[in-house]
Amino acid sequence: MAFDSVHNYYEKLVFDEINQFYANDDFSEDEIEDMACLALNQIQPRYIRHNVDMCFFMTEDERMKIVDAIKDAVAYAHHKITSNYNRTA
């Protein structure tokens, strides 16, 4: 039995947020990966098989709450990375 389709729904959203807003800020690959881990640890995981299943059953309000939670978690992770690596934001 393969579990290739099982994943945390928030992973791609966090990765996209980091790539869109933080990946070009002269961070190393290690720092980007640490940022993703820190952000994902701020959000309770939601494991799913297909993203469409999750999206189909969400209201617009739920979608907006997820977007806000992702932004907050990544901003927190960015702050931790810049603080811990003695970088300036």
Side-chain angles (χ1 to χ4, degrees):
M1 181 180 306
F3 295 101
D4 295 341
S5 65
V6 176
H7 64 280
N8 178 355
Y9 176 73
Y10 298 119
E11 286 176 356
K12 183 174 179 346
L13 299 176
V14 166
F15 300 159
D16 289 347
E17 179 77 8
I18 291 171
N19 283 326
Q20 184 174 2
F21 295 105
Y22 300 101
N24 294 325
D25 288 353
D26 197 32
F27 289 106
S28 70
E29 189 172 325
D30 285 340
E31 290 169 323
I32 292 290
E33 290 171 352
D34 287 347
M35 193 182 307
C37 290
L38 287 167
L40 285 165
N41 284 331
Q42 297 301 306
I43 306 165
Q44 184 173 355
R46 292 182 86 167
Y47 289 97
I48 59 171
R49 290 186 50 219
H50 306 286
N51 284 1
V52 69
D53 294 340
M54 180 83 170
C55 295
F56 182 76
F57 292 105
M58 271 194 287
T59 66
E60 186 61 30
D61 186 50
E62 289 172 319
R63 283 188 197 95
M64 293 308 299
K65 286 180 182 177
I66 288 171
V67 168
D68 290 342
I70 297 295
K71 288 185 180 300
D72 290 346
V74 173
Y76 165 83
H78 177 262
H79 174 74
K80 290 297 253 183
I81 294 298
T82 56
S83 297
N84 288 343
Y85 286 95
N86 293 319
R87 298 177 64 121
T88 56

Coordinates of all heavy atoms in Angstrom, one line a residue:
M1 N 0.8 -1.2 0.0 CA 0.0 0.0 0.0 C 0.9 1.2 0.0 O 1.8 1.4 0.8 CB -0.9 0.0 1.2 CG -1.8 1.2 1.3 SD -2.9 1.2 2.7 CE -3.7 -0.4 2.6
A2 N 0.7 2.1 -0.9 CA 1.4 3.4 -1.0 C 0.7 4.5 -0.4 O -0.6 4.6 -0.5 CB 1.7 3.7 -2.5
F3 N 1.4 5.4 0.2 CA 0.8 6.6 0.8 C 1.3 7.9 0.1 O 1.3 9.0 0.8 CB 1.1 6.7 2.3 CG 0.5 5.5 3.0 CD1 1.3 4.4 3.4 CD2 -0.8 5.5 3.4 CE1 0.7 3.4 4.1 CE2 -1.4 4.4 4.1 CZ -0.6 3.4 4.4
D4 N 1.7 7.8 -1.1 CA 2.2 8.9 -1.8 C 1.3 10.1 -1.9 O 1.8 11.3 -2.0 CB 2.7 8.5 -3.2 CG 3.8 7.5 -3.2 OD1 4.5 7.4 -2.2 OD2 4.0 6.9 -4.3
S5 N 0.0 9.9 -1.9 CA -0.9 11.0 -2.1 C -1.3 11.7 -0.8 O -1.9 12.8 -0.8 CB -2.2 10.5 -2.8 OG -2.9 9.6 -1.9
V6 N -0.9 11.2 0.4 CA -1.2 11.8 1.7 C -0.1 12.9 2.0 O 1.1 12.6 1.9 CB -1.1 10.7 2.8 CG1 -1.3 11.3 4.2 CG2 -2.2 9.6 2.5
H7 N -0.7 14.1 2.3 CA 0.2 15.2 2.6 C -0.5 16.2 3.5 O -1.7 16.2 3.6 CB 0.8 15.8 1.3 CG -0.3 16.5 0.5 ND1 -1.1 15.7 -0.4 CD2 -0.7 17.8 0.4 CE1 -2.0 16.6 -1.0 NE2 -1.7 17.8 -0.5
N8 N 0.3 17.1 4.1 CA -0.2 18.2 4.9 C -0.6 19.3 3.9 O 0.2 19.8 3.2 CB 0.9 18.7 5.8 CG 0.5 19.8 6.7 OD1 -0.6 20.4 6.5 ND2 1.3 20.2 7.6
Y9 N -1.9 19.6 4.0 CA -2.5 20.6 3.1 C -1.7 21.9 3.1 O -1.6 22.6 2.1 CB -3.9 20.8 3.4 CG -4.6 21.9 2.7 CD1 -5.0 21.8 1.3 CD2 -4.9 23.1 3.3 CE1 -5.6 22.8 0.6 CE2 -5.6 24.2 2.6 CZ -5.9 24.0 1.2 OH -6.5 24.9 0.5
Y10 N -1.2 22.3 4.3 CA -0.5 23.6 4.5 C 0.9 23.7 3.9 O 1.4 24.8 3.7 CB -0.5 24.0 5.9 CG -1.9 24.1 6.5 CD1 -2.3 23.3 7.6 CD2 -2.8 25.0 6.0 CE1 -3.6 23.4 8.1 CE2 -4.1 25.1 6.5 CZ -4.5 24.3 7.5 OH -5.8 24.4 8.0
E11 N 1.5 22.5 3.6 CA 2.9 22.6 3.1 C 3.0 23.5 1.9 O 3.9 24.4 1.9 CB 3.4 21.2 2.8 CG 3.7 20.4 4.1 CD 4.1 19.0 3.8 OE1 4.1 18.5 2.6 OE2 4.4 18.3 4.8
K12 N 2.3 23.2 0.9 CA 2.4 24.0 -0.4 C 2.1 25.4 -0.2 O 2.7 26.3 -0.7 CB 1.5 23.4 -1.5 CG 1.7 24.1 -2.8 CD 1.0 23.5 -3.9 CE 1.1 24.2 -5.3 NZ 1.6 25.5 -5.3
L13 N 1.1 25.7 0.7 CA 0.7 27.1 0.9 C 1.9 27.8 1.6 O 2.2 29.0 1.3 CB -0.5 27.2 1.8 CG -1.8 26.5 1.2 CD1 -2.9 26.6 2.1 CD2 -2.2 27.2 -0.1
V14 N 2.5 27.2 2.6 CA 3.7 27.8 3.3 C 4.8 28.0 2.3 O 5.5 29.0 2.2 CB 4.1 27.0 4.5 CG1 5.5 27.4 5.0 CG2 3.0 27.1 5.6
F15 N 5.1 26.9 1.5 CA 6.2 27.0 0.5 C 6.0 28.2 -0.5 O 6.9 28.9 -0.8 CB 6.4 25.7 -0.2 CG 6.7 24.5 0.7 CD1 6.5 23.3 0.2 CD2 7.2 24.7 1.9 CE1 6.8 22.1 1.0 CE2 7.5 23.6 2.7 CZ 7.3 22.3 2.2
D16 N 4.7 28.3 -0.9 CA 4.4 29.4 -1.9 C 4.6 30.7 -1.2 O 5.1 31.7 -1.9 CB 3.0 29.2 -2.4 CG 2.8 28.0 -3.3 OD1 3.8 27.5 -3.8 OD2 1.6 27.7 -3.6
E17 N 4.1 30.9 0.0 CA 4.3 32.2 0.7 C 5.7 32.5 0.9 O 6.1 33.7 0.6 CB 3.6 32.1 2.1 CG 3.7 33.3 2.9 CD 2.7 34.4 2.5 OE1 1.8 34.2 1.7 OE2 2.8 35.5 3.1
I18 N 6.6 31.6 1.3 CA 8.0 31.9 1.4 C 8.6 32.2 0.1 O 9.3 33.2 -0.1 CB 8.7 30.6 2.0 CG1 8.3 30.5 3.5 CG2 10.2 30.8 1.9 CD1 8.7 29.2 4.2
N19 N 8.3 31.4 -1.0 CA 8.9 31.7 -2.3 C 8.4 33.1 -2.8 O 9.2 33.8 -3.5 CB 8.5 30.6 -3.3 CG 9.3 29.4 -3.1 OD1 10.5 29.4 -2.8 ND2 8.7 28.2 -3.3
Q20 N 7.2 33.4 -2.6 CA 6.7 34.7 -3.1 C 7.3 35.9 -2.4 O 7.6 36.9 -3.0 CB 5.2 34.7 -3.0 CG 4.6 36.0 -3.7 CD 3.1 35.9 -3.7 OE1 2.4 35.0 -3.3 NE2 2.5 36.9 -4.3
F21 N 7.4 35.8 -1.1 CA 7.7 37.0 -0.3 C 9.1 37.0 0.4 O 9.6 38.1 0.8 CB 6.7 37.3 0.8 CG 5.3 37.6 0.2 CD1 4.3 36.6 0.2 CD2 5.1 38.8 -0.4 CE1 3.1 36.9 -0.3 CE2 3.9 39.1 -1.0 CZ 2.8 38.2 -0.9
Y22 N 9.8 35.9 0.5 CA 11.0 35.8 1.3 C 12.2 35.1 0.6 O 13.3 35.3 1.0 CB 10.8 35.1 2.6 CG 9.7 35.8 3.5 CD1 8.4 35.3 3.5 CD2 10.1 37.0 4.2 CE1 7.5 36.0 4.3 CE2 9.1 37.6 5.0 CZ 7.8 37.1 5.0 OH 6.9 37.7 5.8
A23 N 12.0 34.4 -0.4 CA 13.0 33.6 -1.0 C 14.1 34.4 -1.7 O 15.3 34.0 -1.8 CB 12.5 32.6 -2.0
N24 N 13.8 35.6 -2.1 CA 14.8 36.5 -2.8 C 15.5 37.5 -1.8 O 16.1 38.4 -2.2 CB 14.1 37.3 -3.9 CG 13.6 36.4 -5.0 OD1 14.3 35.4 -5.3 ND2 12.5 36.7 -5.6
D25 N 15.3 37.2 -0.5 CA 15.9 38.1 0.5 C 17.3 37.6 0.9 O 17.7 37.8 2.1 CB 15.0 38.2 1.7 CG 13.8 39.0 1.5 OD1 13.7 39.6 0.4 OD2 12.9 39.0 2.4
D26 N 18.0 37.0 0.0 CA 19.4 36.6 0.3 C 19.5 35.6 1.4 O 20.4 35.6 2.2 CB 20.3 37.8 0.5 CG 21.8 37.4 0.4 OD1 22.1 36.6 -0.4 OD2 22.6 38.0 1.1
F27 N 18.5 34.7 1.5 CA 18.6 33.6 2.5 C 19.3 32.4 1.9 O 19.1 32.1 0.7 CB 17.2 33.2 3.0 CG 16.5 34.2 3.8 CD1 15.5 35.0 3.3 CD2 16.9 34.4 5.1 CE1 14.8 35.9 4.1 CE2 16.3 35.3 6.0 CZ 15.2 36.1 5.4
S28 N 20.0 31.6 2.7 CA 20.6 30.4 2.2 C 19.4 29.3 2.1 O 18.3 29.5 2.7 CB 21.6 29.9 3.2 OG 21.0 29.4 4.4
E29 N 19.8 28.2 1.5 CA 18.8 27.2 1.4 C 18.4 26.6 2.7 O 17.3 26.3 3.0 CB 19.3 26.0 0.5 CG 18.3 25.0 0.1 CD 18.8 24.0 -0.9 OE1 19.6 24.4 -1.8 OE2 18.4 22.8 -0.8
D30 N 19.4 26.5 3.6 CA 19.1 26.0 5.0 C 18.2 27.0 5.7 O 17.3 26.5 6.4 CB 20.5 25.9 5.8 CG 21.3 24.7 5.4 OD1 20.7 23.7 4.9 OD2 22.5 24.7 5.7
E31 N 18.4 28.3 5.6 CA 17.5 29.2 6.2 C 16.1 29.2 5.7 O 15.1 29.3 6.5 CB 18.1 30.7 6.1 CG 19.4 30.9 6.8 CD 20.1 32.2 6.5 OE1 20.1 32.6 5.3 OE2 20.6 32.8 7.4
I32 N 16.0 29.0 4.4 CA 14.6 28.9 3.8 C 13.9 27.6 4.3 O 12.7 27.6 4.7 CB 14.7 28.8 2.3 CG1 15.2 30.2 1.7 CG2 13.4 28.4 1.6 CD1 14.2 31.3 1.8
E33 N 14.7 26.5 4.4 CA 14.1 25.3 4.9 C 13.7 25.4 6.4 O 12.7 24.9 6.8 CB 15.0 24.1 4.7 CG 15.1 23.8 3.2 CD 16.2 22.8 2.9 OE1 17.1 22.4 3.8 OE2 16.3 22.3 1.7
D34 N 14.6 26.1 7.2 CA 14.3 26.3 8.6 C 13.0 27.2 8.7 O 12.2 26.9 9.6 CB 15.4 27.0 9.3 CG 16.6 26.1 9.5 OD1 16.5 24.8 9.4 OD2 17.7 26.6 9.9
M35 N 12.9 28.2 7.9 CA 11.7 29.0 7.9 C 10.5 28.2 7.6 O 9.4 28.4 8.3 CB 11.9 30.1 6.9 CG 10.9 31.3 7.0 SD 11.0 32.6 5.8 CE 12.7 33.0 5.9
A36 N 10.5 27.3 6.6 CA 9.3 26.5 6.3 C 9.0 25.6 7.5 O 7.8 25.5 7.9 CB 9.6 25.6 5.1
C37 N 10.0 25.0 8.1 CA 9.7 24.1 9.3 C 9.1 24.9 10.5 O 8.1 24.5 11.1 CB 11.0 23.5 9.8 SG 11.6 22.2 8.6
L38 N 9.7 26.1 10.7 CA 9.2 26.9 11.8 C 7.7 27.3 11.6 O 6.9 27.3 12.5 CB 10.0 28.2 12.0 CG 11.4 27.9 12.7 CD1 12.3 29.2 12.5 CD2 11.2 27.6 14.2
A39 N 7.4 27.7 10.3 CA 6.1 28.2 10.0 C 5.1 27.0 10.1 O 4.0 27.1 10.7 CB 6.1 28.7 8.6
L40 N 5.5 25.9 9.5 CA 4.6 24.7 9.6 C 4.3 24.2 11.0 O 3.2 23.7 11.3 CB 5.1 23.5 8.7 CG 5.0 23.8 7.2 CD1 5.9 22.8 6.5 CD2 3.5 23.6 6.8
N41 N 5.3 24.4 11.9 CA 5.1 24.0 13.3 C 4.1 25.0 14.0 O 3.7 24.6 15.1 CB 6.4 23.9 14.0 CG 7.2 22.7 13.7 OD1 6.6 21.7 13.4 ND2 8.5 22.8 13.7
Q42 N 3.8 26.1 13.5 CA 2.9 27.0 14.1 C 1.4 26.7 13.7 O 0.5 27.3 14.3 CB 3.2 28.5 13.6 CG 4.6 29.0 14.0 CD 4.7 29.0 15.5 OE1 3.9 29.5 16.3 NE2 5.7 28.3 16.0
I43 N 1.2 25.9 12.7 CA -0.1 25.6 12.2 C -0.4 24.1 12.4 O 0.4 23.2 12.1 CB -0.2 25.9 10.7 CG1 0.3 27.3 10.4 CG2 -1.6 25.6 10.2 CD1 0.6 27.6 9.0
Q44 N -1.6 23.8 13.0 CA -2.0 22.4 13.2 C -2.1 21.8 11.8 O -2.8 22.3 10.9 CB -3.3 22.3 14.0 CG -3.7 20.9 14.3 CD -4.9 20.8 15.2 OE1 -5.4 21.8 15.7 NE2 -5.3 19.6 15.4
P45 N -1.5 20.6 11.6 CA -1.5 20.0 10.2 C -2.9 19.5 9.9 O -3.7 19.1 10.8 CB -0.5 18.9 10.3 CG -0.3 18.6 11.8 CD -0.6 19.9 12.5
R46 N -3.2 19.5 8.6 CA -4.4 18.9 8.1 C -4.0 18.0 7.0 O -3.6 18.4 5.9 CB -5.4 20.0 7.6 CG -5.9 20.8 8.7 CD -6.9 21.8 8.2 NE -8.2 21.2 8.1 CZ -9.3 21.9 7.9 NH1 -9.2 23.2 7.8 NH2 -10.4 21.3 7.9
Y47 N -4.0 16.7 7.2 CA -3.5 15.7 6.3 C -4.7 15.3 5.4 O -5.8 15.1 5.8 CB -2.9 14.5 6.9 CG -1.6 14.8 7.6 CD1 -1.5 15.2 8.9 CD2 -0.5 14.9 6.8 CE1 -0.3 15.5 9.5 CE2 0.8 15.2 7.3 CZ 0.8 15.5 8.7 OH 2.0 15.9 9.2
I48 N -4.4 15.3 4.1 CA -5.4 15.1 3.1 C -4.8 14.2 2.0 O -3.6 14.0 1.9 CB -6.0 16.3 2.5 CG1 -4.9 17.2 1.8 CG2 -6.7 17.2 3.5 CD1 -5.4 18.3 1.0
R49 N -5.6 13.7 1.1 CA -5.2 13.0 -0.1 C -5.2 13.9 -1.3 O -4.3 13.8 -2.1 CB -6.0 11.7 -0.3 CG -5.8 10.7 0.8 CD -6.5 9.4 0.5 NE -6.3 8.9 -0.9 CZ -7.2 8.4 -1.6 NH1 -8.4 8.2 -1.2 NH2 -6.9 7.9 -2.8
H50 N -6.2 14.7 -1.4 CA -6.4 15.5 -2.6 C -6.7 16.9 -2.2 O -7.7 17.1 -1.5 CB -7.5 15.0 -3.6 CG -7.2 13.5 -3.9 ND1 -6.3 13.1 -4.8 CD2 -7.9 12.4 -3.5 CE1 -6.3 11.8 -4.9 NE2 -7.3 11.3 -4.1
N51 N -6.0 17.9 -2.7 CA -6.3 19.3 -2.4 C -7.7 19.7 -2.8 O -8.3 20.5 -2.0 CB -5.3 20.3 -3.1 CG -3.9 20.2 -2.4 OD1 -3.7 19.5 -1.4 ND2 -3.0 21.0 -2.9
V52 N -8.2 19.2 -3.9 CA -9.5 19.6 -4.3 C -10.6 19.2 -3.3 O -11.6 19.9 -3.1 CB -9.8 19.0 -5.7 CG1 -10.0 17.5 -5.7 CG2 -11.1 19.6 -6.3
D53 N -10.4 18.1 -2.6 CA -11.3 17.7 -1.5 C -11.4 18.7 -0.4 O -12.5 19.0 0.1 CB -10.9 16.3 -0.9 CG -11.0 15.2 -1.9 OD1 -11.7 15.3 -2.9 OD2 -10.3 14.2 -1.7
M54 N -10.3 19.3 0.0 CA -10.2 20.3 1.0 C -10.9 21.6 0.6 O -11.7 22.1 1.3 CB -8.7 20.5 1.4 CG -8.5 21.5 2.4 SD -8.7 20.8 4.0 CE -8.2 22.1 5.1
C55 N -10.6 22.0 -0.6 CA -11.1 23.3 -1.2 C -12.6 23.2 -1.4 O -13.3 24.2 -1.1 CB -10.4 23.6 -2.5 SG -8.6 24.0 -2.3
F56 N -13.1 22.1 -1.8 CA -14.5 21.9 -2.1 C -15.4 22.2 -0.9 O -16.5 22.7 -1.0 CB -14.8 20.5 -2.7 CG -16.2 20.3 -3.1 CD1 -16.7 20.9 -4.3 CD2 -17.0 19.5 -2.3 CE1 -18.0 20.7 -4.7 CE2 -18.3 19.3 -2.7 CZ -18.8 19.9 -3.9
F57 N -14.9 21.8 0.3 CA -15.8 21.8 1.4 C -15.5 23.0 2.3 O -16.1 23.2 3.4 CB -15.6 20.5 2.3 CG -16.1 19.3 1.6 CD1 -15.3 18.4 1.0 CD2 -17.5 19.1 1.5 CE1 -15.8 17.3 0.3 CE2 -18.0 18.0 0.8 CZ -17.2 17.1 0.3
M58 N -14.6 23.9 1.9 CA -14.3 25.1 2.7 C -15.2 26.3 2.2 O -15.5 26.5 1.1 CB -12.9 25.5 2.5 CG -11.9 24.9 3.4 SD -10.3 25.7 3.4 CE -9.7 25.2 1.8
T59 N -15.6 27.1 3.2 CA -16.3 28.4 2.9 C -15.2 29.4 2.6 O -14.0 29.3 2.9 CB -17.1 28.8 4.1 OG1 -16.2 29.2 5.2 CG2 -18.1 27.8 4.6
E60 N -15.6 30.5 2.1 CA -14.7 31.6 1.8 C -14.1 32.2 3.1 O -12.9 32.5 3.1 CB -15.5 32.8 1.1 CG -14.6 33.9 0.6 CD -13.5 33.4 -0.4 OE1 -13.8 32.5 -1.2 OE2 -12.4 34.0 -0.5
D61 N -14.9 32.2 4.1 CA -14.3 32.6 5.4 C -13.2 31.7 5.9 O -12.2 32.2 6.4 CB -15.5 32.7 6.5 CG -15.0 33.3 7.8 OD1 -14.4 34.4 7.8 OD2 -15.3 32.7 8.8
E62 N -13.4 30.4 5.8 CA -12.4 29.5 6.2 C -11.1 29.6 5.3 O -10.0 29.6 5.8 CB -12.9 28.0 6.0 CG -13.9 27.7 7.1 CD -14.6 26.3 6.8 OE1 -14.9 26.0 5.6 OE2 -14.8 25.5 7.8
R63 N -11.3 29.9 4.0 CA -10.1 30.1 3.2 C -9.3 31.3 3.6 O -8.1 31.3 3.6 CB -10.6 30.3 1.7 CG -10.9 29.0 1.0 CD -11.2 29.2 -0.5 NE -11.9 28.1 -1.0 CZ -13.2 28.0 -1.2 NH1 -14.0 29.0 -0.8 NH2 -13.8 26.9 -1.6
M64 N -10.1 32.4 3.9 CA -9.4 33.6 4.4 C -8.7 33.4 5.7 O -7.6 34.0 5.9 CB -10.4 34.8 4.5 CG -11.0 35.2 3.1 SD -9.7 35.6 1.9 CE -8.8 36.9 2.6
K65 N -9.2 32.6 6.6 CA -8.6 32.3 7.9 C -7.3 31.5 7.6 O -6.3 31.8 8.3 CB -9.5 31.6 8.8 CG -10.6 32.4 9.4 CD -11.5 31.7 10.3 CE -12.6 32.6 10.9 NZ -13.5 31.8 11.7
I66 N -7.3 30.6 6.7 CA -6.1 29.9 6.3 C -5.0 30.8 5.8 O -3.9 30.7 6.1 CB -6.5 28.7 5.4 CG1 -7.2 27.6 6.1 CG2 -5.2 28.1 4.7 CD1 -7.8 26.6 5.2
V67 N -5.4 31.6 4.8 CA -4.5 32.6 4.3 C -3.8 33.4 5.4 O -2.6 33.6 5.4 CB -5.1 33.5 3.2 CG1 -4.3 34.6 2.8 CG2 -5.5 32.6 2.0
D68 N -4.6 33.9 6.3 CA -4.1 34.8 7.4 C -3.2 34.0 8.3 O -2.1 34.4 8.7 CB -5.3 35.4 8.2 CG -6.0 36.4 7.5 OD1 -5.5 37.0 6.4 OD2 -7.2 36.7 7.9
A69 N -3.6 32.7 8.6 CA -2.7 31.9 9.4 C -1.4 31.6 8.8 O -0.4 31.6 9.4 CB -3.5 30.5 9.7
I70 N -1.4 31.3 7.5 CA -0.2 31.1 6.7 C 0.7 32.3 6.8 O 1.9 32.2 7.1 CB -0.5 30.7 5.3 CG1 -1.2 29.4 5.2 CG2 0.8 30.6 4.4 CD1 -0.5 28.2 5.7
K71 N 0.2 33.5 6.5 CA 0.9 34.7 6.5 C 1.5 35.0 7.9 O 2.7 35.3 8.0 CB 0.1 35.9 6.1 CG -0.3 35.9 4.6 CD -1.0 37.2 4.2 CE -1.3 37.2 2.7 NZ -0.2 37.1 1.8
D72 N 0.8 34.8 8.9 CA 1.2 35.0 10.3 C 2.3 34.0 10.6 O 3.3 34.4 11.2 CB 0.1 34.9 11.3 CG -0.9 36.0 11.2 OD1 -0.6 37.0 10.6 OD2 -2.0 35.9 11.8
A73 N 2.2 32.7 10.3 CA 3.1 31.7 10.6 C 4.5 32.0 9.9 O 5.5 31.8 10.5 CB 2.6 30.3 10.3
V74 N 4.4 32.4 8.6 CA 5.6 32.6 7.9 C 6.3 33.9 8.4 O 7.5 33.9 8.5 CB 5.3 32.7 6.3 CG1 6.6 33.1 5.6 CG2 4.9 31.3 5.9
A75 N 5.5 34.9 8.7 CA 6.1 36.1 9.3 C 6.8 35.8 10.6 O 7.9 36.4 10.8 CB 5.0 37.2 9.4
Y76 N 6.2 35.0 11.4 CA 6.8 34.6 12.7 C 8.2 33.9 12.4 O 9.2 34.1 13.0 CB 5.9 33.7 13.4 CG 6.6 32.9 14.6 CD1 6.7 33.5 15.8 CD2 7.0 31.6 14.4 CE1 7.4 32.9 16.8 CE2 7.6 30.9 15.4 CZ 7.8 31.6 16.6 OH 8.4 30.9 17.6
A77 N 8.1 32.9 11.4 CA 9.3 32.2 11.1 C 10.4 33.1 10.5 O 11.6 32.9 10.9 CB 8.9 31.1 10.1
H78 N 10.0 34.0 9.7 CA 11.0 35.0 9.1 C 11.7 35.8 10.3 O 12.9 35.9 10.3 CB 10.3 35.9 8.2 CG 11.1 37.0 7.6 ND1 11.2 38.2 8.1 CD2 12.0 36.9 6.6 CE1 12.1 39.0 7.4 NE2 12.6 38.2 6.5
H79 N 10.9 36.2 11.2 CA 11.4 37.0 12.4 C 12.4 36.1 13.1 O 13.5 36.6 13.5 CB 10.3 37.5 13.3 CG 10.8 38.1 14.5 ND1 11.4 39.3 14.5 CD2 10.8 37.6 15.8 CE1 11.7 39.6 15.8 NE2 11.4 38.6 16.5
K80 N 12.0 34.8 13.4 CA 12.9 33.9 14.1 C 14.2 33.7 13.4 O 15.3 33.7 14.0 CB 12.2 32.6 14.4 CG 11.1 32.7 15.4 CD 11.6 33.1 16.8 CE 11.6 31.9 17.7 NZ 12.0 32.3 19.0
I81 N 14.1 33.5 12.1 CA 15.3 33.3 11.3 C 16.2 34.5 11.3 O 17.4 34.4 11.5 CB 15.0 32.8 9.8 CG1 14.3 31.5 9.8 CG2 16.2 32.9 8.9 CD1 15.1 30.3 10.3
T82 N 15.7 35.6 11.1 CA 16.5 36.9 11.1 C 17.1 37.1 12.4 O 18.2 37.6 12.5 CB 15.7 38.1 10.5 OG1 14.5 38.3 11.3 CG2 15.3 37.9 9.1
S83 N 16.3 36.8 13.5 CA 16.8 37.0 14.9 C 17.9 36.0 15.2 O 19.0 36.4 15.8 CB 15.7 36.9 15.9 OG 14.8 37.9 15.7
N84 N 17.7 34.8 14.9 CA 18.6 33.7 15.3 C 19.9 33.7 14.5 O 20.9 33.2 15.0 CB 17.9 32.3 15.2 CG 16.9 32.2 16.4 OD1 16.9 32.9 17.3 ND2 16.0 31.2 16.2
Y85 N 19.8 34.2 13.3 CA 21.0 34.2 12.4 C 21.7 35.6 12.5 O 22.5 35.9 11.6 CB 20.6 33.8 11.0 CG 20.4 32.3 10.8 CD1 19.1 31.8 10.9 CD2 21.4 31.4 10.6 CE1 18.8 30.5 10.7 CE2 21.1 30.1 10.4 CZ 19.8 29.6 10.5 OH 19.6 28.3 10.3
N86 N 21.2 36.4 13.4 CA 21.8 37.8 13.5 C 21.7 38.5 12.2 O 22.7 39.2 11.8 CB 23.2 37.7 14.1 CG 23.2 37.2 15.5 OD1 22.4 37.6 16.3 ND2 24.2 36.4 15.8
R87 N 20.6 38.4 11.5 CA 20.4 39.1 10.3 C 19.5 40.3 10.5 O 18.8 40.4 11.5 CB 19.7 38.2 9.3 CG 20.6 37.0 8.9 CD 19.8 36.1 8.0 NE 19.6 36.8 6.8 CZ 20.0 36.3 5.6 NH1 20.7 35.2 5.5 NH2 19.8 37.0 4.5
T88 N 19.5 41.2 9.6 CA 18.6 42.4 9.7 C 17.5 42.1 8.7 O 17.7 41.7 7.5 CB 19.3 43.7 9.3 OG1 19.9 43.6 8.1 CG2 20.3 44.0 10.4
A89 N 16.3 42.4 9.1 CA 15.1 42.1 8.2 C 14.9 43.2 7.2 O 15.5 44.3 7.3 CB 13.8 42.0 9.0

